[in-house]
Amino acid sequence: MHWHLLSTVLLFGAGAFAAYLKQVTNYNNDAKAKPGMWVYVPDSVKSDALVVAIHSCQSSAQSYFQNSKIPWHQGSDRKGYVTVWPSSTTECWGVSSKASLTHNGGGDSNAIVNMIKYVVTQYNIDPKKVFVTGGSSGAMMSNVLAVTYPDLITAVSLYSGVPAGCFVSASGAAAAWNNTCSGGNSKASPEQWGNVVQAMYPGYNGTRPRMQIWHGSTDGTLSPNNYQETIDQWTNVLGVSITPTSSKPNTPEKNYRMDDFGPNVEGIWAQGVGHPVPSHLDASEAWFGL
Ligand SMILES: *[C@@H]1O[C@H](CO)[C@@H](O)[C@H](O)[C@H]1NC(C)=O
Ligand SMILES: *[C@@H]1O[C@H](CO)[C@@H](O)[C@H](O)[C@H]1NC(C)=O
C-alpha cells in the first residue's frame, strides 16, 4: 500500500474526518434576504439526494440540527444523503411579503434556492432529487419554496404548516404573524388557493413537487383547519380530486390516518396530536423515495 493511502486510512480510522454541521458563508446569494446556510455532509456519502431541513420560529440551523426530535441528521448518517440547514435572520421565516411569495422576488425563498443551487453543483446532487421539509414556520417556508421554485424541488414533507400565500402581511412585512391564517380563518375554495399559487409564479406550467402534508387535530398554534386548506390547495394545483383515492387508518402509527390523493398528494392527519406533529423520518423518507 502506498504511504499516502495508508495515512488516509489511519486518519479516517481515528475519526479525523468526522462529519459536522458546517457553515457556508458564500453561497452565491444574490437575493436581498441573507439567511445563514449550514450544510451537513455525512462521513459516507451514499446518495446523490439532498434534503433541506427548515427550522421553526425562534430557532436556528444549529439548534434544529441538534434537536433530538428532528431526525434528518440521523437520516443523513444512515442513508448517506447531504442535508442543508438554512438559518433565518428574523424570528420566523419570511413567508409574508411579496418578495418571498414571488419567484425570484429576493426574499428568503429566493435565498434558500440559492443554497440549493450551490449544493447541487458543489456536491454533485441529482437535481431531480431535491427534497424539502420543515415544521411550523419551516413548513410554511417549504410550501412557499414548492410554489415559487416548482422546477427545482422534487418533493416536500410539511409538518404543521399553512397553505402557501396564507400568512400574508398586508403591510408588507417579510415575516409577520397572521392571526387570521393561524386561527384557521383564511378559508378559500381549492380554485382560489390554486390561483394564489399561480400568482406566485405567473405563467409557470411545468411539473410541480409531490406534496406530503401532516397536521395534528389539536394544534393550538396553527389551527387544524389549515390541513384541509392545504390539501385543497395542492389537489387543485396538481389537478386531482379532493376525495382520497385511498385512506389508511392507524398509519404510520396509531391514531394517524394517511390519505392519498393519487401518487402526488398525501395527507397525514394526526388525531389527538398538537403542534407541531413530530417528524416521522421513515414516512417522509419513503415519500421522497430515499
Ligand atoms: C392575513 O392573511 C390573509 C390571507 O390568508 C390576508 O387576507 C390578510 O390581509 C392578512 N392579515 C394581515 C393583518 O396582514
Ligand atoms: C408553457 O409555457 C411555455 C412558455 O411560456 C409555452 O411556450 C407553452 O406553450 C406552455 N405550455 C402549455 C401547455 O400551456
Side-chain angles (χ1 to χ4, degrees):
M1 187 185 280
H2 291 292
W3 165 244
H4 69 272
L5 258 180
L6 180 64
S7 58
T8 303
V9 169
L10 288 174
L11 283 169
F12 267 111
F17 290 98
Y20 64 101
L21 186 69
K22 197 169 74 178
Q23 186 168 19
V24 177
T25 48
N26 184 357
Y27 57 93
N28 304 328
N29 180 28
D30 59 358
K32 191 154 177 271
K34 304 285 181 204
M37 173 180 179
W38 300 72
V39 63
Y40 181 75
V41 180
D43 282 328
S44 171
V45 176
K46 293 178 279 193
S47 162
D48 56 359
L50 167 67
V51 175
V52 182
I54 308 181
H55 67 71
S56 45
C57 292
Q58 294 160 326
S59 184
S60 66
Q62 282 162 303
S63 63
Y64 206 54
F65 181 82
Q66 282 157 12
N67 187 332
S68 60
K69 292 190 190 127
I70 302 303
W72 291 99
H73 167 192
Q74 286 78 3
S76 180
D77 281 334
R78 207 183 316 158
K79 299 214 161 143
Y81 52 78
V82 172
T83 46
V84 163
W85 304 74
S87 206
S88 72
T89 53
T90 41
E91 194 173 319
C92 300
W93 283 103
V95 292
S96 305
S97 67
K98 185 91 179 147
S100 234
L101 296 174
T102 308
H103 177 75
N104 288 345
D108 278 338
S109 53
N110 197 163
I112 294 173
V113 151
N114 288 335
M115 299 180 198
I116 291 173
K117 288 177 177 167
Y118 176 89
V119 167
V120 164
T121 306
Q122 199 75 9
Y123 297 100
N124 295 316
I125 304 296
D126 180 345
K128 294 273 169 276
K129 294 182 193 164
V130 175
F131 307 110
V132 180
T133 187
S136 194
S137 182
M140 296 185 200
M141 189 71 246
S142 302
N143 202 352
V144 167
L145 278 167
V147 170
T148 48
Y149 295 92
D151 46 342
L152 299 182
I153 291 159
T154 314
V156 179
S157 185
L158 307 175
Y159 286 93
S160 310
V162 302
C166 187
F167 233 61
V168 171
S169 163
S171 66
W177 193 260
N178 184 302
N179 280 318
T180 311
C181 181
S182 67
N185 296 313
S186 289
K187 295 204 171 163
S189 68
E191 291 73 19
Q192 287 167 327
W193 281 127
N195 292 342
V196 168
V197 168
Q198 301 299 338
M200 287 164 68
Y201 188 173
Y204 181 76
N205 61 13
T207 56
R208 304 263 180 189
R210 303 170 64 239
M211 295 298 301
Q212 184 185 56
I213 299 146
W214 303 72
H215 217 105
S217 75
T218 61
D219 192 322
T221 306
L222 298 174
S223 161
N225 288 351
N226 285 303
Y227 175 72
Q228 190 59 49
E229 300 300 315
T230 309
I231 296 281
D232 287 357
Q233 181 169 63
W234 281 96
T235 50
N236 178 270
V237 168
L238 293 171
V240 295
S241 168
I242 56 165
T243 308
T245 45
S246 85
S247 194
K248 299 184 212 90
N250 296 318
T251 307
E253 63 170 282
K254 196 172 185 304
N255 296 330
Y256 282 53
R257 191 191 71 233
M258 188 180 272
D259 287 337
D260 282 305
F261 304 82
N264 297 328
V265 185
E266 183 167 86
I268 298 151
W269 179 247
Q271 192 63 44
V273 177
H275 186 82
V277 174
S279 292
H280 282 63
L281 184 64
D282 289 348
S284 289
E285 282 183 338
W287 183 247
F288 294 163
L290 291 170

